[in-house]
Amino acid sequence: MEDLSIQHVNLEKSENLERHRTEGFSSSNVLVVRRGAPFKISLQMKGRPFDPNTDSMRIKVMLGRLYVTIPVTFSQKVSPSHWKAFMDPEGLNLQNPSVFISSPASASVGCYKFQMCVFTQDGQQKCAFGRFILLCNPWCPDDAVYIPFEDQREEYVQNDSGLLFMGTPLNLVSRPWSFDLYEPGVLETCLNLLQVSPQHQNNQRLDYLNRNNPVYISRVVSAMINCEDDRGVLKGNWSGDFKQGVNPSTWTGSGEILKQWAQSGYSPVKYGQCWVFAAVMCTVMRVLGIPCRVVTNFNSAHDTNSNLVIEEFYSETGQKLKFSKDSIWNFHIWVECWMTRRDLESGMDGWQVLDPTPQERSGGVFCCGPAPVKAIKDRRIDLLYDVPFVYAEVNAAVHKIIMSQGRVLSLSKDTERVGSLICTKAIGFPRLHNITGNYKSTQSQTLKSRSSTVSEDSTSRRADTSKGLQVSLTLDKAPIAGEPVCFTVKVMNMQKASKMMKVHLNAQVKEYNHRPGEDLKTFWETHGVIQLAPMEVKVLNQQIPPAKYRDVFGDNMINLAAVLQDMGSQEHILASEEFNIASPQLTIQVADEDALVPNKEQTATVSFTNPFSHPVNGVLTVAGAGLIQGKVHFRMLPLFPGRRVEQRITLIPNMMGTKMLQASLSLTNISSTIRGFKMVFVKKA
């Protein structure tokens, strides 16, 4: 009889992918499994059958130059801390035996090679080779990224689409984003990101050893998403000039960014801003098996001198000035990853803040975190990593100062504005989940307009007028494109004497991340005089007509300020509010939602009604991972006010599960993009 040899190794992909919840990665030509759980390999023997009494089998598993040799036994007892290989004695086919390989729950993430060797009694050795990709395992209780509920794992590990929240707390914008976890090439690019990192290039052995730890992996990824210190994925640009690349607002998913980065030989993709950095990082972390969600902090402070105070300066007519080095972003977006913090004291496990947007260096490179959310809430600024920086982002106080010719006229303080709302997408639903309470112990969850009173310690305080006046500024409703912006200024004379007041109202356009040293453009203002009787309350109703904000409409923010000056005492008082103008929505309808199954053609319709008082035209782009191959573009002819346009789209789903169909209309005669999305469920055929 011909002697024993291994003719073929079957990686049993379909069975292993289902068992390891990696079915989405079926397009990869490498088996994808999760650590801490066994996977099955079947052997087809040539010649005589395998004889357990005289033959033995060993598996050599290799990650770079690191390797471990594992004897194949008949004991099915696996260890969470050691590699193990075994044959199941029940139903064992010795001509085609199956071997199960189990990795430790703390094995390093990466692309492994293995060598399967059979040794016969006469000393002959027969070998076969294979490869597999090993990811973290949030389903395994012994893994540092274990997250305990199935709906959390579906949302934070497997979900390939989501919502990014932008705008302002009073006028939220839900921007759809495709994480593209399962698009061809994305898995390989996420693994290559680790290989391209400076940590790997400088010391491959140490990098491979450290990849067992999600704290280490997350810091490497946070640094590699931006390109400030390495061959990272994205180049940031907040200049407004995007001619050398892509306007960050036009990206709709992570897949095209990661593919472009890989295809360019790992040259940075131009350009990103905070939500792009965070969304791409979320893709990488979910692909690697680390639970991740995108988080928005509204009114996020960048405290340059770490004094927990942000200073904002205004002129005596309400124009915001460029004196401060501090800044407040109307919204800033980062990610949270779920992990056990074995490097810290107990109680710091769970969600950790990671921020790939390059702002400040951490350990010498532009990355941020992982900072335990619990440490931020408890003000444990002594703990790793970057807790003081994130604490300031959600807790700094705002000092609003009115200046004239280098002299302070008024100072008021606001302790509620920064971090007024911190949120993420809800589990299983396309809506907001408020997580402010995770970060802040005492937090008013009601979003209200802020009134300003001359403070007790104001540098302009006069004993008899320090409590003489109160003013508030309130938007009547959330502003909508094509409609007037209606707001109310309420002025209260708190004294038993008449007052003559100068009133200055000023609206300036700004980007969401207004940078220190940058002038804001005033596009609307009005000035007047009012008289207040003793103890009188006067309400001023104001409107900004659509024609005034037409050229500043879009992703911009508006800073609205009211400054009142007591003509008798020369006292000044300020109230301000920042807001965005909600865009109209695209409507998406699917002809027969209940009939969505893989590989069967279906039709969707995208429609838009022009709410503006002038014609618009532009380019419609439709995308949907798992529903449409790539992106489809349509040019829209001029659409007159009040008219409606429809565009039919062909869908051919290629995988099951919940999918997002998204559309964006880039208007050419207004600097604005109109968006819409629809969640659909693709059933088993």
Side-chain angles (χ1 to χ4, degrees):
M1 180 182 284
E2 190 179 352
D3 203 8
L4 172 66
S5 65
I6 303 172
Q7 184 177 20
H8 178 66
V9 176
N10 183 348
L11 297 181
E12 302 288 0
K13 274 185 75 171
S14 59
E15 180 180 334
N16 286 320
L17 292 178
E18 183 178 356
R19 180 180 294 178
H20 286 253
R21 284 119 173 147
T22 52
E23 302 102 309
F25 300 120
S26 59
S27 64
S28 173
N29 56 11
V30 182
L31 174 64
V32 183
V33 293
R34 301 190 185 277
R35 62 189 189 180
F39 61 94
K40 178 180 176 182
I41 293 175
S42 297
L43 305 177
Q44 186 176 338
M45 297 300 187
K46 188 179 180 183
R48 66 174 176 81
F50 179 81
D51 185 348
N53 297 312
T54 59
D55 304 324
S56 63
M57 200 178 293
R58 287 203 296 268
I59 301 173
K60 184 178 181 180
V61 176
M62 297 160 276
L63 181 62
R65 294 183 179 178
L66 300 176
Y67 69 90
V68 59
T69 302
I70 320 159
V72 179
T73 69
F74 285 93
S75 167
Q76 296 175 260
K77 188 176 181 182
V78 298
S79 164
S81 56
H82 294 92
W83 287 89
K84 172 86 178 184
F86 61 90
M87 291 186 185
D88 184 354
E90 288 189 23
L92 181 61
N93 180 341
L94 295 174
Q95 191 67 52
N96 298 298
S98 292
V99 177
F100 292 86
I101 302 173
S102 180
S103 66
S106 59
S108 293
V109 168
C111 187
Y112 286 75
K113 295 177 182 176
F114 70 87
Q115 182 182 28
M116 180 86 66
C117 292
V118 176
F119 299 87
T120 60
Q121 192 173 28
D122 57 8
Q124 288 194 51
Q125 176 181 337
K126 306 291 184 180
C127 296
F129 299 86
R131 290 191 304 156
F132 62 90
I133 290 170
L134 192 65
L135 306 176
C136 294
N137 192 351
W139 285 264
C140 175
D142 296 307
D143 196 311
V145 303
Y146 173 69
I147 192 167
F149 300 106
E150 183 61 24
D151 61 345
Q152 293 176 328
R153 295 187 286 254
E154 287 178 8
E155 181 69 45
Y156 302 136
V157 183
Q158 295 179 297
N159 196 351
D160 66 349
S161 64
L163 297 178
L164 316 179
F165 295 102
M166 305 164 83
T168 59
L170 296 170
N171 208 3
L172 284 164
V173 174
S174 304
R175 176 171 292 188
W177 190 269
S178 183
F179 294 116
D180 296 327
L181 311 180
Y182 310 120
E183 291 296 286
V186 167
L187 166 67
E188 290 75 11
T189 301
C190 292
L191 290 168
N192 286 341
L193 180 145
L194 301 177
Q195 303 293 103
V196 173
S197 72
Q199 289 85 344
H200 187 78
Q201 297 298 313
N202 294 338
N203 190 329
Q204 293 188 16
R205 182 179 183 277
L206 187 60
D207 175 60
Y208 279 136
L209 287 170
N210 285 333
R211 279 197 214 168
N212 68 334
N213 183 356
V215 174
Y216 173 82
I217 293 172
S218 66
R219 279 185 68 77
V220 170
V221 174
S222 176
M224 280 297 296
I225 297 299
N226 70 73
C227 66
E228 297 305 307
D229 310 288
D230 43 47
R231 298 165 68 194
V233 178
L234 281 158
K235 176 68 177 172
N237 185 344
W238 289 267
S239 71
D241 179 4
F242 307 117
K243 287 193 289 289
Q244 301 299 314
V246 174
N247 184 326
S249 291
T250 63
W251 297 116
T252 59
S254 304
E256 55 189 331
I257 295 170
L258 289 167
K259 288 175 191 173
Q260 184 177 322
W261 179 63
Q263 289 166 2
S264 70
Y266 309 110
S267 295
V269 175
K270 300 175 181 179
Y271 293 104
Q273 290 184 5
C274 69
W275 68 90
V276 187
F277 287 110
V280 173
M281 181 164 183
C282 186
T283 293
V284 176
M285 300 308 277
R286 287 185 183 180
V287 165
L288 297 179
I290 300 173
C292 188
R293 62 189 187 184
V294 180
V295 170
T296 302
N297 176 36
F298 284 97
N299 299 321
S300 188
H302 191 162
D303 182 14
T304 56
N305 56 4
S306 302
N307 66 350
L308 289 176
V309 172
I310 304 296
E311 293 179 318
E312 293 188 335
F313 295 91
Y314 287 81
S315 75
E316 54 192 319
T317 57
Q319 289 177 305
K320 205 169 193 180
L321 305 173
K322 61 178 183 180
F323 295 157
S324 179
K325 293 182 179 179
D326 299 327
S327 61
I328 296 180
W329 293 18
N330 289 86
F331 62 87
H332 181 49
I333 300 182
W334 56 63
V335 302
E336 289 177 356
C337 290
W338 180 278
M339 63 187 75
T340 302
R341 289 301 298 270
R342 293 167 183 163
D343 58 325
L344 300 179
E345 63 191 54
S346 64
M348 295 299 147
D349 299 342
W351 291 116
Q352 316 285 320
V353 171
L354 288 140
D355 189 351
T357 300
Q359 294 184 87
E360 300 286 341
R361 282 192 159 90
S362 171
V365 298
F366 279 103
C367 69
C368 178
V373 172
K374 186 71 166 60
I376 297 160
K377 184 173 184 177
D378 293 347
R379 202 175 181 178
R380 289 297 309 276
I381 57 176
D382 56 315
L383 297 180
L384 298 172
Y385 291 91
D386 308 303
V387 174
F389 182 78
V390 182
Y391 179 85
E393 286 185 297
V394 300
N395 283 297
V398 182
H399 289 190
K400 297 181 186 177
I401 302 163
I402 301 177
M403 299 281 293
S404 177
Q405 298 177 338
R407 192 165 58 91
V408 174
L409 300 180
S410 168
L411 166 68
S412 57
K413 297 180 181 179
D414 188 339
T415 57
E416 293 185 9
R417 180 171 157 203
V418 169
S420 59
L421 173 64
I422 305 168
C423 62
T424 187
K425 178 188 171 295
I427 294 175
F429 297 96
R431 61 172 181 246
L432 173 148
H433 173 45
N434 187 337
I435 57 171
T436 315
N438 294 359
Y439 284 80
K440 307 178 81 163
S441 298
T442 55
Q443 173 68 32
S444 169
Q445 300 296 339
T446 58
L447 299 170
K448 56 184 183 297
S449 66
R450 287 176 293 278
S451 65
S452 178
T453 308
V454 176
S455 62
E456 281 295 318
D457 56 352
S458 169
T459 51
S460 66
R461 178 172 63 87
R462 296 182 183 180
D464 59 342
T465 60
S466 62
K467 296 180 181 178
L469 194 67
Q470 192 177 72
V471 59
S472 66
L473 174 65
T474 311
L475 291 167
D476 296 353
K477 63 174 185 174
I480 299 171
E483 297 181 9
V485 176
C486 301
F487 65 98
T488 301
V489 179
K490 184 178 178 182
V491 189
M492 181 185 300
N493 181 2
M494 299 162 66
Q495 291 186 325
K496 296 178 180 177
S498 297
K499 290 181 180 291
M500 188 72 74
M501 309 294 303
K502 284 184 180 178
V503 181
H504 305 283
L505 302 176
N506 189 291
Q508 293 168 288
V509 63
K510 67 187 285 277
E511 294 185 348
Y512 76 95
N513 67 311
H514 173 56
R515 294 172 301 289
E518 182 185 76
D519 279 319
L520 298 186
K521 174 190 172 187
T522 296
F523 67 89
W524 176 87
E525 62 184 320
T526 185
H527 309 274
V529 176
I530 60 170
Q531 184 165 359
L532 292 170
M535 310 302 290
E536 183 184 5
V537 176
K538 196 157 262 185
V539 175
L540 310 177
N541 296 308
Q542 296 289 330
Q543 285 191 3
I544 304 175
K548 284 288 184 182
Y549 66 70
R550 172 180 168 177
D551 294 334
V552 301
F553 168 69
D555 293 319
N556 292 314
M557 300 287 168
I558 292 170
N559 189 86
L560 183 63
V563 173
L564 277 82
Q565 178 187 352
D566 186 329
M567 295 171 69
S569 67
Q570 296 303 308
E571 191 168 31
H572 292 73
I573 188 166
L574 165 74
S576 67
E577 190 66 77
E578 292 189 340
F579 63 89
N580 56 307
I581 298 174
S583 296
Q585 297 285 303
L586 297 178
T587 302
I588 303 176
Q589 291 183 311
V590 177
D592 189 356
E593 275 191 65
D594 294 331
L596 278 172
V597 294
N599 304 314
K600 184 181 177 183
E601 193 172 293
Q602 226 342 328
T603 301
T605 304
V606 180
S607 58
F608 172 65
T609 301
N610 180 8
F612 303 106
S613 58
H614 51 85
V616 295
N617 63 318
V619 176
L620 175 69
T621 302
V622 183
L627 298 170
I628 298 173
Q629 195 72 32
K631 289 183 172 183
V632 289
H633 306 277
F634 306 92
R635 183 162 294 281
M636 188 185 78
L637 297 173
L639 184 67
F640 290 90
R643 300 296 297 273
R644 172 185 168 93
V645 65
E646 291 187 352
Q647 179 64 55
R648 289 165 64 88
I649 311 293
T650 300
L651 311 179
I652 306 178
N654 61 16
M655 60 192 307
M656 295 183 297
T658 301
K659 300 296 165 191
M660 175 190 281
L661 183 62
Q662 57 170 311
S664 59
L665 175 59
S666 296
L667 300 178
T668 52
N669 54 340
I670 305 178
S671 176
S672 180
T673 302
I674 314 297
R675 296 180 176 86
F677 72 94
K678 185 173 182 62
M679 307 304 298
V680 297
F681 186 75
V682 182
K683 301 175 183 176
K684 190 173 183 178

